[in-house]
Amino acid sequence: MAGFGFFWSVWFGSVGVDESLVMKEETGRAAAFALGVRALLPMHLGVAPFGVIYGVVALQSGIPPLAAIAMSSIVFAGSAQFLLAQLVGAGAPFLLATGAVGLINLRHALYSASVAPILAQLPLRWKLLLSYLLTDEAYAAVIPHLLKTPQSPLAHWILFGSGFALWAGWQLATIAGVLLGAQLPENLGLDFALPLTFIAIVVPMLTDRVRVATALVAALVAVLLSGLPWKLGLFAAALSGLATGLVLRRAKP
Amino acid sequence: MNVWWLMVTCGIVTFLIRFSFIGAEGRWAMPSWFRSALPFVPIAALTALVAPELLLVSGKLALIAENSRLWAGVLAIGVAAIWRNTLLTIAAGFAAFAVLRAII
């Protein structure tokens, strides 16, 4: 029954009040995990078609079906997997492909820095697990919650919930894409769910002028440098936004 | 080139990037200026992801009436600013996107 209650709380968010301390901690974890899962759910609208297309593109690049599916858990990074599939198809050298994947994923170091103080007290196995699951989507979905209560002893369960939810959805979408084979799904514009969700997350964070300036500079640089390869424009934009926030906050504390 | 070796190497590289600061926490003293920049990470990084999606069409700046993602996104920003509700923001953005795509 504990298992059932756990899943019930994941999907419906209602957690009953229990008498014993042990049960309280368990339901607290379940509720935190469920919070993470629910925060991520809308992103599946955008991630699912992306994963299906990845599966199709990987096969077209000549990657064997099993390897295409395995890549989604071994690399587990959407845009890097697309790039890797293309590079394999083009016969790019090993070091170039590895370097390109590293550059495209550089922005994840920023997420790592952002959550590091929150996860500081956790045992190594948790740090390894949550690092593996640290993606744009999983981070974005729960960072408002994590920043609100950074000292929460259950913060890692929230991040685990969103990370796991994205991971599971990504694996299923990849398998669907590989099974579909050569057939690309019709573009319904569902990928628009991702920018919309990011908007829903970022806009409420813009509570003062310094934060608005941070966002404006990041947007401007991202657009100006969008022509750079390997998403380096994104990384430069994020750093420019950070520098803006930092300098303005120092100037006017 | 062996695809499997390439995948495993890229997986390790990706993992090490994600583990970088999480793993280093406690082993090095994060400089205070660095720590004070962290609250800006979600704003800067996520805005950098969104802006090109709204403003660019096929890699070119498209401040035009036909760019339905831009106007649906602007509406979503307004909805998010007023109601601060994730699902409402996504629903409004999608509704505007669908209507604009149908019209244009």
Side-chain angles (χ1 to χ4, degrees):
Chain A
M1 277 315 282
F4 176 75
F6 180 75
F7 282 109
W8 177 265
S9 67
V10 165
W11 294 108
F12 301 99
S14 54
V15 175
V17 180
D18 291 291
E19 297 302 320
S20 79
L21 265 174
V22 179
M23 281 303 286
K24 255 181 200 164
E25 196 180 333
E26 216 168 83
T27 48
R29 284 175 188 169
F33 183 83
L35 177 68
V37 171
R38 275 202 309 276
L40 191 106
L41 282 183
M43 301 212 191
H44 277 139
L45 272 180
V47 167
F50 196 49
V52 171
I53 296 168
Y54 156 73
V56 174
V57 168
L59 289 192
Q60 285 172 351
S61 308
I63 297 176
L66 190 63
I69 292 171
M71 202 203 287
S72 282
S73 37
I74 295 175
V75 181
F76 186 46
S79 42
Q81 288 180 227
F82 268 91
L83 178 75
L84 199 52
Q86 285 163 2
L87 290 173
V88 167
F94 194 96
L95 277 180
L96 176 87
T98 313
V101 165
L103 290 176
I104 210 173
N105 285 329
L106 264 186
R107 66 185 183 285
H108 293 129
L110 295 175
Y111 307 151
S112 184
S114 169
V115 298
I118 298 165
L119 309 179
Q121 305 306 323
L122 292 176
L124 182 63
R125 61 176 191 280
W126 268 103
K127 292 184 178 180
L128 294 170
L129 174 68
L130 294 177
S131 298
Y132 168 69
L133 292 173
L134 192 63
T135 54
D136 294 316
E137 291 83 2
Y139 169 80
V142 298
I143 191 63
H145 299 290
L146 299 184
L147 292 180
K148 231 179 279 167
T149 51
Q151 301 306 321
S152 159
L154 293 168
H156 54 299
W157 281 95
I158 301 178
L159 191 55
F160 181 43
S162 71
F164 175 77
L166 181 80
W167 184 88
W170 183 245
Q171 306 308 321
L172 290 178
T174 303
I175 293 169
V178 167
L179 293 180
L180 271 175
Q183 226 178 325
L184 270 181
E186 192 190 349
N187 182 10
L188 299 170
L190 286 177
D191 56 309
F192 195 46
L194 286 179
L196 285 177
T197 318
F198 290 149
I199 286 171
I201 290 161
V202 169
V203 171
M205 290 182 154
L206 304 177
T207 47
D208 59 41
R209 284 182 190 181
V210 175
R211 286 160 197 263
V212 171
T214 300
L216 289 178
V217 169
L220 184 70
V221 175
V223 169
L224 286 177
L225 299 184
S226 62
L228 289 185
W230 307 322
K231 302 219 173 194
L232 284 177
L234 278 188
F235 188 58
L239 288 185
S240 311
L242 281 183
T244 305
L246 201 54
V247 168
L248 291 180
R249 186 63 88 222
R250 290 244 158 151
K252 226 172 76 177
Chain B
M1 179 168 59
N2 188 322
V3 167
W4 287 92
W5 276 118
L6 181 62
M7 280 189 338
V8 170
T9 312
C10 288
I12 292 170
V13 168
T14 302
F15 173 80
L16 288 178
I17 292 169
R18 291 171 176 167
F19 185 62
S20 55
F21 289 98
I22 293 174
E25 181 75 20
R27 288 161 211 262
W28 75 306
M30 206 185 259
S32 67
W33 65 268
F34 189 88
R35 199 172 285 271
S36 61
L38 294 184
F40 298 108
V41 167
I43 296 169
L46 301 179
T47 307
L49 284 172
V50 170
E53 297 276 340
L54 301 186
L55 291 165
L56 304 179
V57 173
S58 309
K60 292 215 168 69
L61 189 64
L63 295 169
I64 49 172
E66 289 82 3
N67 185 358
S68 39
R69 279 172 195 256
L70 174 58
W71 307 119
V74 168
L75 179 93
I77 290 170
V79 170
I82 296 169
W83 285 287
R84 296 165 174 265
N85 180 311
T86 306
L87 289 181
L88 186 66
T89 302
I90 298 169
F94 256 124
F97 183 52
V99 169
L100 288 170
R101 282 226 302 189
I103 295 173
I104 296 165

